[in-house]
Amino acid sequence: MIILLLAHLFSLGQPADFFISNGDNVSEVTCGGVLFAPHFNQNFLATNKGSVFFDKQIDLSKPFNTSFTMDMIDNLGEDGGAFVFQSDPHAVADGLNSLGINSIYHSAAVTFDAIQNKDQNDPVFDHISIQIHGNLDHSSPDNLAGPISMEPYYTTGPYAITFRHLVTVDWDPTAKKLSVLIDNVLVLSTINDLVQNVFAGNPIVYWGFSGSNTQLVWYPANSDIDWGRLYFYFGQILTRIDRRPQMDSCFGSPIQFIDSSIYSSGNGTDPLSFVSWYWNFGDGTTSTQRNPPPHRYPAPGSYNVKFAITNSSGCAYDTLVEKISLGSLPKPAFTASPLCTNTDIHFSDKSTADIGTPVAWTWQFDNGTTSSDKDPVTQFKNTGPHSVSLTVQTEFVCRADTTIVFEIGEKPLVDYSFTKDCLGNAQYQATVSNAVAVDKWQWGFGDGQFSQQKDPSHFFEKDDTYTTSLWAVAGNCTSDTIAKAIPINRVHAFAGNDTIAVINQPIQLNATGGANYEWSPHNFLNDPLIANPVATLTNDQTYVLTAKNPDGCEAKDTLLIKVYEHLDVYVPSAFTPNGDGRNDVLHIIAPGLKELFFFRVYDRWGQTVFDTKDLSKGWDGTIKGQLPGTGVYVWIMKGLTYLGSVVERKGTVTLIR
């Protein structure tokens, strides 16, 4: 048997179920249709019959109406079929030429018979009848209507004779009338209390289709044979929807929902004739029109739209669910700062939307410029009122605009000058080059100190180069920041520590604290106008150093050089480290000594209590931080004279407490 696959159809979201009774010649069952066909095997001799019933029962005390397409090829092996009401879906027909309904007592059928069976008193033409109790004899009282000829509805082609039409079965329980229509035209009807006369007062029955074929002739293998078939179906539908506009949109305009499903019966019959539609718009409203009128939603938001198609058998195709979002109008708003001429004014978008997000901006400034930036920047040359318009659009293409008029002021154009003294004091003077009244001055001196005076003075505690800045405020306008570097370089003249020398010993002087220097008197110096001249003396000499910086500031310091007649080493024989400021430290005095290799002091046990290589350092009398009692200590020294000879000395010293 041939097995075909139709569309998957569903009833209320659940698969449609069937009872198959003696399905020898049922080659396919879906909610879309049932195919009865002979065995396509010319060497097979058989009789086949079967029936298919919907799992869902119906109540004949209520109206019932269904439409289906019947597609029959009237060729070899095709008996015919029936539309059936039946109490027991498992009851099985018997005998040849049964149409799948023969001998089933509690049944009522619309039969489609393509074979003349004389024992059933069939007419010579293919025919349609209404028959009950499984009795196919047309001379019996169980033949309620017909037979009428099917042949006027046949189409004769080059290879087959076909019946392919829309059949409607209608049951009116009030009139107790069963009617059969072909292509919506009444062709057969009967009035009979089927519930009482056929189903023993029980109106709950199953409904479906039955069919049979009979192949009793054997054909050789090389025979060219066209076999018949019988096909009941409700059409194939691929559920789709469309809407205008297609994308999520702005709330306000109605939405047009369109059924764009693909309807295909496979044989040219329009399945639209026997389907119904159901729309649920997600806001509590519904429609059963195929293409409902444009729908207007009550408020912005997101809605789940459901769309289902149901055929006359109660089978519903896949229910489509589509989310539709309707945005709300945005609330355009923005701020701007600073509102001043000839400066960059930064505009900040503050727009919001209850549903949706601003995604596009159109700015129009009355200075002739436009922008599509979210936060644009522009300038105005003139003071006074200026208008700015903003149009905002969300992702739902919701647009709204606003216009704000700003009062543009003039920013002050400031500068400053300064003077400074030699002690680290600076005096500032601010100037305004345009006719703007400054409300606030702000100075920063670069050392963490500030001032809001117009012309402040400031003292710098440390020498350094400081960046002083100034900006001013006039109304809502702030000037540019003016910054200047101010070097603070006080003069700290230092001629060096007083020293000693031997007659005619060259002494290197080293001055610091200035940029320019002068030693006075000029006597005995190789160059009195440099920081490090060489002095060669025969007597004690005091020099006065004058140091100046680039600002013209100066300071003085003195240097005493004591001159000895010859090179020698002098160490006092005693000292008194009692903190009275006199003779508290033991120093070595060595005129003419160029380098001290060491000067050490030992206690009576030979332990070193002091050691230095610096002539300027001496022993304060302490040992490990403690001051010992009166005692005698040994000292030794070694050094290099300015003439290049090594000198060594040793001696004792008494520490007196």
Side-chain angles (χ1 to χ4, degrees), residues 265-587:
S265 65
N267 65 354
T269 301
D270 185 5
L272 287 174
S273 301
F274 55 92
V275 299
S276 60
W277 298 269
Y278 176 78
W279 296 86
N280 185 327
F281 300 110
D283 60 355
T285 60
T286 61
S287 175
T288 57
Q289 298 185 44
R290 180 186 180 191
N291 295 307
H295 185 72
R296 189 178 296 275
Y297 281 90
S302 294
Y303 302 90
N304 288 324
V305 178
K306 298 180 181 179
F307 176 55
I309 301 175
T310 305
N311 64 21
S312 60
S313 69
C315 292
Y317 295 79
D318 290 337
T319 299
L320 297 186
V321 179
E322 181 174 314
K323 183 178 181 180
I324 179 172
S325 296
L326 303 177
S328 61
L329 289 176
K331 303 169 185 176
F334 60 92
T335 60
S337 179
L339 300 176
C340 307
T341 58
N342 300 310
T343 190
D344 284 343
I345 301 178
H346 295 264
F347 289 82
S348 298
D349 173 60
K350 304 296 182 181
S351 303
T352 59
D354 293 336
I355 297 178
T357 303
V359 295
W361 301 264
T362 300
W363 299 82
Q364 289 188 332
F365 306 100
D366 68 0
N367 61 4
T369 63
T370 61
S371 177
S372 59
D373 294 339
K374 180 179 183 293
D375 300 314
V377 177
T378 192
Q379 290 191 0
F380 295 99
K381 294 182 179 180
N382 302 318
T383 60
H386 288 268
S387 65
V388 179
S389 298
L390 169 63
T391 300
V392 179
Q393 176 178 305
T394 69
E395 75 269 31
F396 299 112
V397 200
C398 294
R399 296 186 183 91
D401 57 64
T402 187
T403 299
I404 300 178
V405 177
F406 294 97
E407 188 69 27
I408 304 299
E410 185 173 4
K411 74 175 183 180
L413 302 178
V414 300
D415 199 358
Y416 70 90
S417 61
F418 64 90
T419 58
K420 60 181 182 177
D421 62 16
C422 296
L423 302 177
N425 296 299
Q427 180 66 48
Y428 295 92
Q429 290 182 323
T431 59
V432 183
S433 60
N434 56 350
V436 174
V438 173
D439 301 319
K440 178 182 177 182
W441 300 91
Q442 183 64 56
W443 296 85
F445 300 113
D447 60 354
Q449 302 297 314
F450 304 91
S451 176
Q452 293 185 343
Q453 299 179 14
K454 179 179 182 297
D455 301 316
S457 60
H458 185 67
F459 173 72
F460 293 94
E461 294 184 355
K462 298 180 180 180
D463 290 352
D464 203 346
T465 298
Y466 299 90
T467 299
T468 297
S469 59
L470 167 67
W471 51 270
V473 177
N476 294 320
C477 296
T478 302
S479 70
D480 295 336
T481 298
I482 308 300
K484 297 181 181 181
I486 300 180
I488 300 297
N489 184 24
R490 280 174 283 251
V491 182
H492 303 278
F494 180 63
N497 295 320
D498 293 345
T499 188
I500 60 178
V502 179
I503 293 175
N504 295 322
Q505 174 190 352
I507 300 297
Q508 179 74 60
L509 308 185
N510 289 288
T512 60
N516 300 299
Y517 302 92
E518 181 178 2
W519 299 85
S520 181
H522 295 181
N523 300 339
F524 311 110
L525 298 173
N526 66 334
D527 187 346
L529 301 181
I530 62 175
N532 53 351
V534 176
T536 305
L537 302 175
T538 57
N539 296 292
D540 295 349
Q541 179 65 50
T542 298
Y543 286 107
V544 177
L545 170 69
T546 300
K548 296 182 179 181
N549 66 10
D551 297 326
C553 298
E554 66 178 41
K556 297 181 183 296
D557 191 25
T558 60
L559 172 66
L560 171 62
I561 303 175
K562 187 173 179 60
V563 177
Y564 292 83
E565 292 184 359
H566 56 84
L567 186 151
D568 205 349
V569 176
Y570 305 96
V571 177
S573 59
F575 74 112
T576 57
N578 55 11
D580 62 358
R582 295 181 298 174
N583 201 27
D584 286 334
V585 180
L586 178 67
H587 282 283

Side-chain angles (χ1 to χ4, degrees), residues 70-133:
M70 176 178 162
D71 182 1
M72 185 181 73
I73 296 179
D74 184 25
N75 281 334
L76 289 175
E78 186 62 46
D79 278 352
F83 171 89
V84 184
F85 294 129
Q86 188 165 312
S87 293
D88 181 4
H90 299 291
V92 179
D94 61 9
L96 298 176
N97 307 306
S98 68
L99 301 183
I101 191 63
N102 184 40
S103 75
I104 299 177
Y105 186 76
H106 294 294
S107 66
V110 177
T111 57
F112 301 85
D113 196 340
I115 299 295
Q116 183 184 19
N117 298 296
K118 293 183 180 181
D119 61 337
Q120 297 175 354
N121 294 303
D122 286 348
V124 295
F125 50 82
D126 295 352
H127 51 277
I128 306 173
S129 303
I130 299 176
Q131 297 170 293
I132 60 175
H133 298 315

